[in-house]
Amino acid sequence: MHKFNIKSLYKLDNPKRRQQMPPEETLKKFNFNKVGTLLDIGCGIGYFSIPAATIMNQGKVIGLDIMPEMINIAKQKANNLTNIDFLKSEEYSFPIDDNSIDYVFISNVIHEIEDKPKYFNEIRRVLKTDGLLCIIDWEKKETEMGPSINDRISKEDMIKICASANFTHLEDVDINMDHYGLKFQLL
């Protein structure tokens, strides 16, 4: 099972990634409201969390990561934003209240999760009824960057995984040639 290596930190924010997946434009494709609470699970250095706090300027953003090094970097980058928090999390236990989140956003993380049913149980616990789950992950094909093809989850399989966790597929979101985006609703 592929896990992100902290030594590859430079891959999280570089000119090529910003060209391929500009964070603010990518987030806008999911049509988040300016109000509500967005939880960015596996937020890393705040690549999506920080622009999300700008987009959701009447709401709140919470970035979670299992690596304290990532949380520290994200906090430094977001030091002037008042509607964002970064918290250290366990993989299957989020420090978030039940039914308190409007949007869960997860980018390039689910392929790293071993116990997917347990993981999605935790997502369901924190998400409000009718809350939205927004996922970006790697296309199941060979690409220049990213995890091995064996660790990737196809878009079709991701939809099945989410359906088995009681999420209804609302729409596909066009991200880029190497990634797919999916939007679900908790029912």
Side-chain angles (χ1 to χ4, degrees):
M1 169 96 17
H2 165 81
K3 290 282 186 187
F4 185 80
N5 186 335
I6 192 75
K7 293 178 183 170
S8 299
L9 195 60
Y10 67 93
K11 293 181 179 180
L12 297 180
D13 193 355
N14 59 60
K16 184 170 184 172
R17 185 175 190 204
R18 285 196 171 265
Q19 180 183 13
Q20 190 180 41
M21 195 183 304
E24 191 163 326
E25 290 81 4
T26 302
L27 286 166
K28 285 180 179 176
K29 293 177 181 184
F30 287 96
N31 295 316
F32 299 119
N33 291 326
K34 292 183 182 294
V35 296
T37 302
L38 181 140
L39 181 65
D40 181 3
I41 303 174
C43 67
I45 60 171
Y47 186 81
F48 286 112
S49 309
I50 294 167
T54 303
I55 292 169
M56 296 184 65
N57 56 13
Q58 297 168 34
K60 181 175 177 78
V61 174
I62 303 168
L64 296 184
D65 207 285
I66 61 172
M67 296 181 184
E69 303 91 342
M70 298 287 195
I71 296 297
N72 291 336
I73 294 169
K75 283 180 178 178
Q76 289 171 2
K77 288 178 168 252
N79 64 359
N80 61 340
L81 293 170
T82 58
N83 66 331
I84 190 166
D85 287 321
F86 291 98
L87 304 172
K88 165 121 178 26
S89 178
E90 298 304 318
E91 193 164 1
Y92 303 108
S93 178
F94 309 147
I96 304 295
D97 291 338
D98 293 356
N99 307 310
S100 63
I101 302 296
D102 298 289
Y103 308 101
V104 169
F105 179 81
I106 307 171
S107 178
N108 295 334
V109 171
I110 296 175
H111 67 271
E112 297 184 5
I113 302 300
E114 199 163 336
D115 188 342
K116 290 175 184 51
K118 186 174 182 180
Y119 189 74
F120 279 96
N121 280 341
E122 188 63 357
I123 293 169
R124 275 197 323 272
R125 181 187 68 77
V126 302
L127 200 57
K128 292 178 181 177
T129 303
D130 296 331
L132 298 178
L133 170 62
C134 303
I135 296 173
I136 296 174
D137 222 309
W138 294 92
E139 291 281 2
K140 192 165 178 76
K141 65 180 186 178
E142 291 293 340
T143 58
E144 187 179 317
M145 295 174 55
S148 91
I149 193 165
N150 296 333
D151 290 328
R152 297 178 186 211
I153 302 167
S154 71
K155 179 169 63 171
E156 296 74 23
D157 285 344
M158 186 71 78
I159 291 170
K160 289 177 188 171
I161 290 167
C162 292
S164 69
N166 294 328
F167 286 94
T168 298
H169 177 232
L170 296 179
E171 64 180 295
D172 291 5
V173 179
D174 182 39
I175 303 297
N176 59 43
M177 290 176 49
D178 295 340
H179 296 87
Y180 58 83
L182 298 168
K183 192 170 179 179
F184 300 89
Q185 188 168 32
L186 178 60
L187 297 179

